[in-house]
Amino acid sequence: AVVSTQSTGYLDIRARVNMELKSDFYCYDIQCDQWNLISSDTGSEGGPSLIYDHQMVLDSDLQTIYIFGGKILNNSVHRSEAEYSGLYKYHIPSNVRTVLKPDNDPMLRSQFGHSKI
């Protein structure tokens, strides 16, 4: 696939026309030296849709990953307006995803292409 900075998404339109892209999620097992699929589509399970340029942070005490912002990579090549992801958390031991702020929430200034401290 060709990387693009077009407002239509991260992948060049020609590479996405006939592709059904989903937001898969993997965990790396260091001892077994292998990737294990946690979810084939987090968007259909209450987590974020397929996104890029988002931020993630791990709270090791709570064993929770927080995912914020980024652009939503829509399968439609005809979207003219960018959509931005909200704020989600993923509790590792229970495999539970929670929406803290929904996508395109006007009260949340989701962004992409930068880092959060």
Side-chain angles (χ1 to χ4, degrees):
V2 178
V3 175
S4 170
T5 58
Q6 296 177 1
S7 63
T8 54
Y10 191 75
L11 297 175
D12 186 275
I13 291 172
R14 296 172 301 217
R16 294 192 293 133
V17 171
N18 295 318
M19 295 172 61
E20 179 65 29
L21 302 173
K22 294 188 178 180
S23 52
D24 53 356
F25 186 38
Y26 286 82
C27 177
Y28 185 70
D29 184 328
I30 296 171
Q31 292 178 340
C32 296
D33 190 29
Q34 71 180 23
W35 287 97
N36 297 309
L37 181 66
I38 295 172
S39 172
S40 61
D41 186 7
T42 60
S44 68
E45 298 173 353
S49 300
L50 183 58
I51 54 177
Y52 66 96
D53 281 345
H54 54 285
Q55 297 79 47
M56 288 178 35
V57 65
L58 170 67
D59 182 330
S60 58
D61 292 336
L62 296 177
Q63 297 184 38
T64 300
I65 298 173
Y66 294 89
I67 305 103
F68 172 71
K71 275 192 174 180
I72 297 172
L73 184 59
N74 193 306
N75 286 325
S76 170
V77 297
H78 303 293
R79 300 278 313 168
S80 60
E81 191 172 314
E83 294 183 82
Y84 297 96
S85 186
L87 176 62
Y88 296 84
K89 73 176 182 177
Y90 171 70
H91 186 245
I92 297 166
S94 65
N95 194 33
V96 171
R97 294 157 192 80
T98 305
V99 178
L100 300 175
K101 292 287 184 177
D103 297 345
N104 297 307
D105 185 329
M107 299 302 292
L108 182 68
R109 304 278 298 169
S110 293
Q111 299 177 13
F112 72 102
H114 67 286
S115 61
K116 295 282 185 196
I117 297 178

